[in-house]
Amino acid sequence: MSQRRRGEPGGECSGDPLERVEVALGYHFRRPELLAEALRHASAAHEVGLSSNERLEFLGDAALSHAVAEWLYSSWPQASEGQLTRGRAALVRERTLAAVARQLGIAEALVVSSRFAMGEAVLADACESVLGALLLDGGWRRFTSVVRRLLRPFLVNLDPAELPREEPKSALQELAQRAGLPLPVYRQVAVEGPEHRRVYTFEVEFAGTVRGRGCGSSKRQAQQEAARAALAAWEAATPQS
């Protein structure tokens, strides 16, 4: 069968990777099949005719956004809407979730096709899937408790003054709202490379003009880079008071 868990040469490894994820989460699943599904990438699921983690990823993504928004609202009582938006984006972004996934041992537990190459986007998606499974199995209170424990180190290190540079896509949207302009529009203009090493290129239209273009290994990363370029172009073209 052409599938394996990441980090297990030849599929052999001492201990159970799913149990190690549970230990890192600090939560024992009553329905372990949920965790198994959360750690089954579509590339492997298609080979064995089982459900992939895509539905759990959808649930985890939505629940995580809500939980982080609620947490920031109580943690930053003086923050503006824009600061809260950028803070949330920084905590749920691909880079942050991929780092959490590695801490949880998801990179070693994720079942993928033997020909599939791991990337940050895949790890971030799997992290959301595991959190979605946790929500279904343990409920909202346990879900938010685990989310706050996992993301607290990242929240502590967030500098509100640096958030516009950290989260250019959110900053560009906030700029449009302040200026009464239409929201930025992102368009995919190119996809290159084999399936396991995609490079996406996006451009962003802002204030009626294409002002930025960016590339990345995921659509989210490419859009962020396009937004960063657009912000720099806007600042360069706007007279400073």
Side-chain angles (χ1 to χ4, degrees):
M1 187 183 303
S2 58
Q3 61 174 345
R4 60 192 169 94
R5 293 189 186 279
R6 280 291 171 197
E8 298 183 15
E12 298 296 331
C13 185
S14 60
D16 185 347
L18 273 67
E19 289 182 3
R20 292 200 293 270
V21 171
E22 286 186 318
V23 170
L25 277 173
Y27 178 78
H28 180 69
F29 278 78
R30 294 172 295 176
R31 292 180 287 169
E33 66 273 13
L34 282 173
L35 180 58
E37 181 178 332
L39 292 169
R40 188 183 304 122
H41 188 263
S43 65
H46 294 159
E47 295 177 351
V48 294
L50 295 174
S51 299
S52 75
N53 61 5
E54 292 174 337
R55 283 171 54 83
L56 287 172
E57 176 198 336
F58 166 80
L59 178 63
D61 175 60
L64 181 62
S65 181
H66 181 82
V68 169
E70 184 180 48
W71 187 27
L72 285 174
Y73 185 85
S74 60
S75 299
W76 292 358
Q78 305 303 319
S80 66
E81 179 186 2
Q83 288 173 322
L84 292 171
T85 298
R86 292 194 296 271
R88 178 179 60 183
L91 289 177
V92 303
R93 65 186 169 188
E94 182 178 293
R95 186 171 70 193
T96 302
L97 295 182
V100 171
R102 293 188 182 95
Q103 292 172 10
L104 293 175
I106 288 175
E108 292 73 32
L110 188 64
V111 180
V112 297
S113 168
S114 60
R115 296 182 297 275
F116 193 83
M118 187 72 67
E120 284 209 334
V122 173
L123 284 176
D125 291 346
C127 183
E128 291 174 337
S129 300
V130 169
L131 292 175
L134 171 61
L135 174 62
L136 288 180
D137 197 72
W140 181 253
R141 179 174 294 184
R142 180 58 64 90
F143 172 82
T144 55
S145 174
V146 171
V147 165
R148 292 186 181 194
R149 176 171 56 82
L150 293 175
L151 293 181
R152 185 168 285 112
F154 299 93
L155 177 62
V156 169
N157 291 324
L158 276 187
D159 181 356
E162 295 295 318
L163 284 176
R165 278 192 290 178
E166 289 278 340
E167 286 302 319
K169 191 174 176 182
S170 297
L172 189 65
Q173 178 172 320
E174 185 184 356
L175 176 60
Q177 291 170 333
R178 286 202 314 266
L181 297 169
L183 293 179
V185 176
Y186 295 86
R187 299 187 184 91
Q188 181 175 299
V189 296
V191 183
E192 300 174 312
E195 183 177 357
H196 62 284
R197 294 188 183 278
R198 292 288 195 218
V199 176
Y200 298 89
T201 302
F202 273 77
E203 64 182 19
V204 58
E205 180 179 315
F206 183 71
T209 303
V210 174
R211 294 184 181 270
R213 177 176 284 216
C215 300
S217 59
S218 69
K219 293 179 180 180
R220 184 183 306 178
Q221 184 183 53
Q223 289 174 1
Q224 289 280 37
E225 292 305 316
R228 196 185 311 277
L231 281 170
W234 180 266
E235 291 172 0
T238 302
Q240 301 296 313
S241 57

